[in-house]
Amino acid sequence: MFADAHVHLDRLKPKELELMLRLSQEANVEMLISVGIDLESSARAVSLAQSESRIWAAVGVHPWYARPLDQQAYHQLKKLATHPKVLFIGEVGLDLNRAPETLDVQITLLRQEIRLATEMGLPLNLHCRQAHAKLREVATEEGFTSLTGLIHGFDGDLAAMERCLELGLFVSFGRTLLNTGSEAEALVRRIPLDRLLLDTDSSVRSWRQNQNHPGRIAEIAQRVADLRGTSLAEIEQATYSNLCLLAERRKGPDH
Ligand SMILES: [Zn+2]
């Protein structure tokens, strides 16, 4: 069985969702984490998770849409996070590539979301672009030497990957591996198997543009197996059980 650690299913039309779910089922993808990007999309991800057994949800505000959470928004997010099918706080993180001008606000938001994740006993589903050092800085300032969670669609260099591993994060690789010659190839060969995850980051846009869907996890897993000189079965088993392990971190609210 395969697991897709990071997808955005909540804006698909019902027919598109149906097709995407069928394709993922045919590819034996038994676990999909539908990740919210703001309050509204997080709420939709939760109701999707409620209606389909193979979907679980992550709730959070994406750094591209960063603004500090006021008390009401924080409580709304917290309420969503109490749903038993919410396994992560996400999509959260930092992006110095696409939105460097909002870094301060991104940091404020990320701090709030790390606090929420701690309060709820949930791991993080992180987005990080060219900001791995900053991520570590924020974690340290919040009093953490380690973070529980994953960093999706990893596109950093070796030093950045090592930083993430030192922080205790799982590292998820995505579609960049389907293009040969990417920097991720060398990283995939080096990452410890017990920290490896895969994600397609499927979304309404990538589905309509490139027919990207969670079933393509199997292709990414095959690439990883080839690069590591191992069997598809080994990658399938490891990435599925790694995501299950993170999912089991859901401890529920601490009060
Ligand atoms: Zn995403």
Side-chain angles (χ1 to χ4, degrees):
M1 290 183 290
F2 290 102
D4 192 335
H6 186 110
V7 294
H8 300 276
L9 302 177
D10 70 272
R11 284 186 57 219
L12 291 157
K13 296 243 159 60
K15 282 252 174 292
E16 291 173 318
L17 178 67
E18 199 185 305
L19 178 58
M20 216 187 251
L21 286 175
R22 185 162 56 74
L23 291 169
S24 66
Q25 192 153 34
E26 283 167 10
N28 205 17
V29 182
E30 280 303 312
M31 192 173 190
L32 300 111
I33 310 295
S34 189
V35 183
I37 54 168
D38 56 24
L39 279 174
E40 216 188 320
S41 120
S42 297
R44 285 196 302 261
V46 174
S47 43
L48 273 181
Q50 205 165 1
S51 62
E52 165 64 45
S53 62
R54 288 182 298 134
I55 302 177
W56 278 262
V59 299
V61 180
H62 194 291
W64 293 349
Y65 312 107
R67 51 169 199 199
L69 296 170
D70 59 24
Q71 222 184 12
Q72 196 194 358
Y74 188 89
H75 282 289
Q76 264 175 291
L77 210 51
K78 186 171 169 180
K79 198 165 167 233
L80 285 172
T82 58
H83 192 284
K85 285 205 79 182
V86 173
L87 299 183
F88 291 92
I89 297 299
E91 179 162 1
V92 304
L94 300 173
D95 194 322
L96 273 172
N97 182 42
R98 182 157 153 176
E101 69 289 352
T102 64
L103 182 65
D104 287 348
V105 188
Q106 291 182 43
I107 290 175
T108 305
L109 174 65
L110 178 62
R111 285 178 190 281
Q112 292 178 305
E113 292 180 308
I114 290 177
R115 281 174 212 158
L116 177 64
T118 312
E119 216 179 320
M120 302 303 294
L122 288 174
L124 298 163
N125 204 307
L126 285 157
H127 166 111
C128 190
R129 297 282 177 272
Q130 293 175 14
H132 301 89
K134 215 33 160 188
L135 174 67
R136 188 179 183 153
E137 220 177 278
V138 173
T140 312
E141 283 165 12
E142 283 295 309
F144 296 102
T145 49
S146 67
L147 290 176
T148 308
L150 67 91
I151 189 150
H152 99 90
F154 191 80
D155 75 341
D157 57 13
L158 179 62
M161 184 173 87
E162 276 167 357
R163 236 176 233 132
C164 293
L165 292 173
E166 278 162 29
L167 260 178
L169 295 168
F170 286 72
V171 179
S172 181
F173 290 89
R175 285 172 294 147
T176 44
L177 282 175
L178 297 176
N179 309 315
T180 48
S182 76
E183 201 173 358
E185 291 181 3
L187 305 184
V188 152
R189 288 193 188 99
R190 292 180 76 135
I191 186 167
L193 198 55
D194 62 0
R195 294 289 197 89
L196 173 69
L197 290 171
L198 305 174
D199 72 272
T200 61
D201 202 12
S202 302
S203 65
V204 70
R205 183 186 297 178
S206 73
W207 165 249
R208 290 178 192 165
Q209 281 177 355
N210 312 312
Q211 302 283 287
N212 178 37
H213 61 85
R216 300 197 72 191
I217 275 292
E219 284 170 60
I220 301 172
Q222 183 62 62
R223 268 295 278 157
V224 173
D226 293 346
L227 288 162
R228 290 176 72 100
T230 183
S231 68
L232 176 63
E234 187 186 39
I235 301 303
E236 178 178 353
Q237 202 272 329
T239 51
Y240 187 82
S241 56
N242 286 345
L243 190 61
C244 289
L245 215 88
L246 264 184
E248 283 162 17
R249 302 281 178 97
R250 189 193 161 91
K251 299 184 201 96
D254 59 2
H255 54 270

